[in-house]
Amino acid sequence: MKIIQKLSLAFLLLTAIAFKSNAQNQLEIVIVGSAHDNSKSAQNFQAIIDKLKNFKPDMVFGEYLPESDYAKLEQSNWAVKVFKKAHDYVEKLNPEPVKNIAAQIKKEQKALSSFAYYHKTRMDLAVNYAKNRDRANAEYQIFILENYMKDKFGKEEQAQYVKMFGSVDSLKKAALYRPGSEYSKIYFPLIYQLGQDQVYKMDCQTYDKPWNEAWAKTDSLYKIMITKAKADSTSAEAATVKAIETYWSYSDEESKVFKADQYAGMNTVKYGVLDEAWNFYGGSHFYGYAGFPAESVKAMIAQWMLRNEGMCKNIIEQARAQKAKRVVVGVGASHRKWMEEILAKNPEVKIINYNDLH
């Protein structure tokens, strides 16, 4: 009996040790639900940066496509079209071919790691990132040049910069410099202040076409429900529309709290519930309601899940390859809830909500 008790105790001890070891080896991930346009925001962005900096992430991810994905997608894909404009703009100003662009990028990265103020090298690196379809890091290097280096340029460097990139307005028009984006406001300054040399890409556009098809169908059916509701205010469809409008609204008090700190608000459970309703015409809460296009909404959500699963997969694979312990993921607020739920199912991952950071 004593032998059995000792074996049981040993087993429990080993289990506890294994559990503790697993917990210690978990990849800690903070998914920060973000606004894509912060140009008119009164948010204290440095406070956000400081909070994320205190987390001490090894990697910072953005909602950018990995460069290899561009060749796999149709030219009609919105992400392909957006970056094609930027890519073509850089190619037009810098038409000289680069023999081994990957090797050249590594060479330029190494030079800048030894001395950050090789301005011409940084310009070349930004151009080569763009040529190599690395939109994220082309934008990051241009952000550094515009915000931290430009005022230190000599006359020759100023002329070289204009020759290679044109004016600030032209960079904005090509979407290579976006001062109001979450990247310019939060993630690029964060990466720079951490002393890191790049932003990691994790977007997934594989399912964009079926997503758009499901979206279009839902929109059409939703409009039919709205038309019926307007035609007869006593109809079951009218009751559904009224219920949706009530469900997806903040109270006045909640709205005041949200406006006081939008980034705190976008990373709450409440926002996740409302955001699903906004994006999915009411969302899963209204399955079974009169006139509600439940099946097409389910089709939308299925494609949305696939995209978010693809994004999570990209994060995990790259984080493991880099042996990262903590990562920050800057992503549109509509993705946060879904990505947290997907990643929380992985025993090797520990999800930390942005609002739990200090």
Side-chain angles (χ1 to χ4, degrees), residues 246-266:
T246 302
Y247 181 77
W248 69 19
S249 299
Y250 273 125
S251 68
D252 290 341
E253 191 58 39
E254 287 172 331
S255 184
K256 286 179 185 177
V257 173
F258 176 76
K259 287 176 180 177
D261 189 341
Q262 291 181 341
Y263 272 75
M266 284 188 289

Side-chain angles (χ1 to χ4, degrees), residues 38-53:
N38 302 271
S39 55
K40 295 179 181 177
S41 175
Q43 184 87 44
N44 181 345
F45 291 105
Q46 187 56 51
I48 296 173
I49 294 165
D50 289 341
K51 185 183 282 194
L52 296 173
K53 200 161 55 175

Side-chain angles (χ1 to χ4, degrees), residues 32-36 63 182-183 330-336:
V32 188
S34 309
H36 292 315
E63 195 179 330
E182 65 271 47
Y183 302 104
V331 71
S334 296
H335 294 281
R336 179 196 56 82

Side-chain angles (χ1 to χ4, degrees), residues 135-285:
R135 178 188 177 192
N137 286 298
E139 285 188 21
Y140 177 50
Q141 292 303 325
I142 289 169
F143 171 85
I144 293 174
L145 288 161
E146 283 289 334
N147 290 273
Y148 305 120
M149 303 294 170
K150 205 172 181 180
D151 62 348
K152 301 174 182 67
F153 286 177
K155 285 185 178 180
E156 289 184 6
E157 289 170 333
Q158 289 173 3
Q160 187 68 36
Y161 188 74
V162 171
K163 181 184 175 184
M164 293 174 72
F165 299 101
S167 67
V168 177
D169 287 341
S170 295
L171 285 170
K172 289 178 182 177
K173 192 175 179 181
L176 280 164
Y177 181 52
R178 300 180 290 150
S181 74
E182 65 271 47
Y183 302 104
S184 292
K185 294 292 188 183
I186 302 170
Y187 304 109
F188 290 167
L190 169 65
I191 295 165
Y192 188 78
Q193 291 175 35
L194 286 168
Q196 297 177 7
D197 65 358
Q198 65 180 303
V199 55
Y200 292 87
K201 294 85 63 178
M202 57 74 185
D203 196 9
C204 173
Q205 286 294 314
T206 307
Y207 310 99
D208 191 57
K209 188 174 180 180
W211 154 260
N212 282 321
E213 289 170 355
W215 186 2
K217 186 175 181 180
T218 301
D219 189 65
S220 178
L221 293 170
Y222 185 80
K223 285 174 180 173
I224 291 171
M225 181 181 71
I226 294 291
T227 301
K228 288 182 179 179
K230 287 181 178 178
D232 182 1
S233 62
T234 64
S235 66
E237 286 82 2
T240 298
V241 171
K242 187 177 179 181
I244 291 172
E245 289 172 351
T246 302
Y247 181 77
W248 69 19
S249 299
Y250 273 125
S251 68
D252 290 341
E253 191 58 39
E254 287 172 331
S255 184
K256 286 179 185 177
V257 173
F258 176 76
K259 287 176 180 177
D261 189 341
Q262 291 181 341
Y263 272 75
M266 284 188 289
N267 289 278
T268 59
V269 171
K270 173 73 174 181
Y271 187 90
V273 171
L274 293 182
D275 191 72
E276 181 197 339
W278 298 331
N279 281 317
F280 297 102
Y281 297 84
S284 57
H285 180 81

Side-chain angles (χ1 to χ4, degrees), residues 95-102 104-105 108 127-128 131:
E96 304 83 7
V98 182
K99 283 186 178 180
N100 187 337
I101 199 162
Q104 190 61 32
I105 286 171
E108 289 154 357
V127 166
N128 287 332
K131 283 175 174 277

